Amino acid sequence: MTNAVDFQALAAQIAGKLTGPGGPFEMTVESVLGATIPVFRNRHRSLLGVLEASKDLGDRDYLVGPDSRLTFAEHYEAAGALAAALTRRYGIGKGDRVGILAANTLEWVLSFWAVQRLGAIPVGYNAWWAPQEIAYGLEHTQPGVVIADARRAALLAAAGAARPVLTMEGDLPELVKEFAGEYPSTEVGEEDPACILYTSGTTGRPKGVVHSQRNMVAISDYHRFTDALAAGLRGQQWDGSPTNRRYLNTSPLFHIASLHNLVIPRLTTGDAVIFHSGGFDAEKILGLIESERITNWAAVPTMASRLLDEDVSRFDLSSLAALSLNTAPSSPALHNRLRERVPVAQVALTTSYGCTESGTAATVATPPDLAANPETVGRPIIGVSVQIRDADGNVVPDGTEGEICVRSPYVMLGYYNDPAATAAAIDAERWLRTGDFGMLVDGRLQMAGRRSDLILRGGENVYPAEIENALDEHPLVRESAVLGVPHEDLGQEVAAIIVVADPASVTEDELRDHVAQRLAYFKVPARWLITADALPRNATGKVLRRELSLGE
C-alpha cells in the first residue's frame, strides 16, 4: 500500500508540472455546450489540424498491414487525393455523411482522414452487421457515399443500398492515383461532428454516437499527456518526439478502442499501427508480436484469455512493454493468469472503464491500483470527473453503489438524430449517465454491473459481474455468464452458463460450492448450464446477454 501511495504522489507531482501554468499540457476551464469543463489550453481545434501536423513525420511507418504499409507522408498524400475525389466526383461537403463498412484495413483509416478534410462526417458501420442491420444504418444516417471492402460491398447490394459504393480494393487506388497532389480542406468548429460510431448493441437497436472535433482532438491529447507522464515517472524529459513504438491493433475500427484511442492518436505520437488479417488466432497474434516487435497491445479480455491456451513460452515477447485490457470487464483471476504466463503483465498490466459515449476510458487502473484493489478499474483520467448517483440523481457517499456518471471534454455530443435519447443520457451540465453501476473507494472506481443486467432476487440486488469474477477463479472455467431467470416466488433467481474445455470435467455441485465459499448464499446460482461452446459476443468482446439461454 505504501508503494501505491508513493507512486500516486509522484504521479500527481509530475502531472501538476505538466498541466500547470506554462506546462506543455496546461489546463484551463472553458464553457463547452453550456457547461464549464476543464480542457487543454494548447490544442488543435480540429482533426484537420492533427492531420496537417502529421506531414512532419515523413517516412516513418504509420499503418502496417500484412501485405502493405503507409508512411505518414504517403498517408497524408493519399488522404488529400481521396478527399478531392469525394468532393469533386461525388459532391461530398461539410456535414455530409460518408459510410465506412469494412474489416480492419489501411484503407479504412485512409478513408476516415480523407472525409475529415471535407468537414464531412465518417460513419463507422459495424462490419459484422447482416444486410437488415446494414439497411437500418444506411436509413438512419443517410450517407452520400459508402466506402466498403469487397465482401461488404456485396452485402450492401443485398441491403439495397441506393447510393454510390466505392470499393477499397478497386475504386480507392484508382481515385487516389487520379486526384494525386490535391489537398482540399474545410474549416470546422470544435463542436462540429467529427465521427459517428454505433453503440455495440448488447440490447435493442444500436444508436449512432456522435463525437465532436473537440472530443477527438482531446482524446489524442490525453494520449500524449500519458506519454509525458510516463516519461516523467521514468525520470526522463518529454519533448513529444516519436519513440518507435509499435501498436498491435486487434479491435475493430468501428469502435473507440481502436479508432479514437489507437489509430488517431498515433498521428500525434508518430508511432506505427500494426494490423493483423482474418479472425483472431492466438498463435498468429503471438507470432505477430514476435515478428513485428510489438511494444503495445490493448486487448479485449477474451483475446488475452485465449493466448493462455497456447504455449506462450515458444514466442519471444520481450518487445512487449505495455498490455492493457479494454472494452469489456476482466476478472482478477484472468489478471493473475496473465501475470503467471506473460512477462509484461507482471509489471505493466492495466485495465480501464469506459463506453462508446465517453469517447475514451473514464478511469484507468495502473499496476499499483490493481495491487491495492484487484477489482478496481482505476482512477479518473485527466479531465474526467466521476460521480456515483442514486436513482434520484443525488451524489452518494464513497463506498455506496449507484449509477456511474461522467463529465469530460471527451464525452459525446449526443446520439445522431435522437434528441430524446440524448436528453436521457446527458443532463444540462453535460454529465453522462452511463447506465453502469459501481462505487468509488479511495478515489478508485469499482464496477458492479449494468442496470439492464441487474437481477432482483427476492428483494436483493444481484450484479452478474461479481458472480462471474468468482466463477472465473475456478481453474477449469474458461468464461462464464450469469443472468436472471423468472421464479414464481422470488421474482428472479440466479442462473449461470459455464464454458469449460470438457463439460464432463466439472459438476454443478463443485461449481456451487466454489461460489458459496466466496459469496453470500443469495448470489449462488440455482440453475446451471455447463458447455464447451463459447459465449456469444459482439465485435468489441461484450457478451450478448440477449442471446444467452439455458437451452431448456
Side-chain angles (χ1 to χ4, degrees):
M1 178 63 75
T2 301
N3 288 337
V5 172
D6 291 344
F7 174 88
Q8 194 63 33
L10 177 60
Q13 181 183 26
I14 296 169
K17 292 179 179 178
L18 293 171
T19 60
F25 296 93
E26 181 179 349
M27 298 291 289
T28 185
V29 292
E30 294 182 6
S31 177
V32 178
L33 299 170
T36 301
I37 303 286
V39 297
F40 294 112
R41 182 184 294 277
N42 304 309
R43 63 187 188 271
H44 291 294
R45 263 47 181 184
S46 72
L47 285 175
L48 182 55
V50 171
L51 177 61
E52 291 294 345
S54 73
K55 282 188 298 185
D56 297 335
L57 294 167
D59 292 334
R60 303 178 68 88
D61 280 343
Y62 174 33
L63 307 172
V64 178
D67 304 309
S68 60
R69 63 185 62 214
L70 281 175
T71 66
F72 286 94
E74 290 167 341
H75 171 263
Y76 180 86
E77 294 291 325
L82 181 55
L86 289 172
T87 189
R88 288 178 52 189
R89 182 154 297 173
Y90 298 98
I92 299 299
K94 184 174 181 179
D96 292 334
R97 276 79 58 212
V98 175
I100 306 176
L101 182 64
N104 284 1
T105 62
L106 279 58
E107 290 78 13
W108 203 115
V109 181
L110 173 65
S111 300
F112 174 89
W113 285 108
V115 175
Q116 292 299 329
R117 278 200 161 277
L118 304 175
I121 309 168
V123 183
Y125 295 122
N126 189 319
W128 291 8
W129 276 353
Q132 184 176 351
E133 293 168 303
I134 294 170
Y136 162 74
L138 296 177
E139 177 63 26
H140 183 231
T141 40
Q142 294 287 316
V145 171
V146 180
I147 301 172
D149 58 25
R151 177 181 171 185
R152 277 78 185 182
L155 291 177
L156 283 162
R163 50 188 43 81
V165 175
L166 306 180
T167 60
M168 292 178 171
E169 296 86 345
D171 296 319
L172 260 59
E174 292 299 320
L175 292 171
V176 167
K177 182 178 179 180
E178 181 179 350
F179 291 89
E182 298 191 35
Y183 314 96
S185 62
T186 303
E187 283 192 23
V188 293
E190 286 194 274
E191 314 309 344
D192 284 346
C195 181
I196 300 173
L197 297 182
Y198 281 85
T199 54
S200 48
T202 53
T203 58
R205 271 193 160 178
K207 297 187 286 288
V209 174
V210 184
H211 287 116
S212 67
Q213 296 286 337
R214 179 193 296 278
N215 295 155
M216 300 186 76
V217 171
I219 292 166
S220 286
D221 284 340
Y222 154 65
H223 284 272
R224 293 174 62 243
F225 168 80
T226 61
D227 288 350
L229 179 61
L233 289 168
R234 295 191 300 267
Q236 300 171 348
Q237 284 292 117
W238 178 86
D239 63 4
S241 299
T243 55
N244 298 314
R245 290 172 301 186
R246 299 175 73 76
Y247 284 74
L248 176 60
N249 181 33
T250 52
S251 295
L253 283 163
F254 52 82
H255 187 264
I256 63 167
S258 181
L259 182 63
H260 295 40
N261 290 281
L262 197 162
V263 168
I264 292 174
R266 303 292 71 81
L267 215 63
T268 68
T269 64
D271 301 308
V273 180
I274 316 300
F275 291 88
H276 80 99
S277 61
F280 184 84
D281 182 297
E283 186 173 15
K284 286 183 179 179
I285 291 298
L286 289 164
L288 192 59
I289 292 172
E290 178 180 271
S291 64
E292 286 288 347
R293 306 304 294 160
I294 298 298
T295 60
N296 296 66
W297 184 29
V300 173
T302 305
M303 295 178 179
S305 177
R306 289 177 185 170
L307 286 191
L308 303 180
D309 291 335
E310 302 292 328
D311 181 1
V312 178
S313 65
R314 293 192 298 113
F315 300 87
D316 178 6
L317 307 182
S318 59
S319 63
L320 198 58
L323 174 63
S324 61
L325 301 178
N326 306 305
T327 77
S330 58
S331 67
L334 173 59
H335 301 168
N336 287 332
R337 288 197 291 269
L338 287 168
R339 292 185 186 107
E340 291 169 0
R341 302 275 303 282
V342 182
V344 68
Q346 298 172 15
V347 295
L349 178 67
T350 63
T351 187
S352 61
Y353 163 72
C355 55
T356 305
E357 290 85 345
S358 67
T360 185
T363 64
V364 170
T366 63
D369 288 324
L370 292 171
N373 179 358
E375 297 201 356
T376 187
V377 288
R379 302 173 186 272
I381 69 169
I382 187 169
V384 170
S385 298
V386 174
Q387 291 183 347
I388 307 299
R389 298 181 177 180
D390 63 20
D392 297 321
N394 301 309
V395 178
V396 301
D398 276 15
T400 304
E401 281 187 1
E403 184 176 12
I404 302 166
C405 296
V406 175
R407 185 169 71 172
S408 79
Y410 320 121
V411 167
M412 68 170 182
L413 278 176
Y415 296 113
Y416 186 75
N417 269 0
D418 198 338
T422 300
I426 300 178
D427 69 18
E429 294 299 316
R430 296 294 298 168
W431 283 96
L432 170 68
R433 304 180 185 96
T434 65
D436 294 326
F437 279 69
M439 69 178 78
L440 287 170
V441 180
D442 296 329
R444 300 183 184 96
L445 180 64
Q446 188 165 327
M447 298 294 296
R450 288 194 61 83
R451 185 191 321 231
S452 56
D453 300 338
L454 180 66
I455 301 168
L456 296 174
R457 180 198 181 280
E460 297 283 357
N461 289 350
V462 179
Y463 287 102
E466 183 181 19
I467 306 170
E468 290 162 357
N469 283 348
L471 285 164
D472 288 350
E473 292 177 8
H474 193 286
L476 295 180
V477 173
R478 287 185 166 181
E479 56 182 347
S480 63
V482 171
L483 62 156
V485 293
H487 188 274
E488 185 175 347
D489 180 40
L490 297 170
Q492 285 183 303
E493 64 180 349
V494 181
I497 300 174
I498 308 299
V499 180
V500 295
D502 176 10
S505 64
V506 66
T507 66
E508 293 181 13
D509 286 342
E510 289 176 64
L511 293 168
R512 189 177 292 110
D513 290 344
H514 174 82
V515 178
Q517 292 173 20
R518 291 160 173 78
L519 299 175
Y521 77 93
F522 62 86
K523 298 177 182 178
V524 177
R527 297 172 62 184
W528 301 82
L529 171 64
I530 302 173
T531 178
D533 297 331
L535 298 174
R537 294 179 183 270
N538 64 21
T540 61
K542 292 186 177 70
V543 173
L544 293 169
R545 292 186 179 273
R546 68 173 180 267
E547 295 184 12
L548 295 177
S549 169
L550 295 179
E552 299 173 354

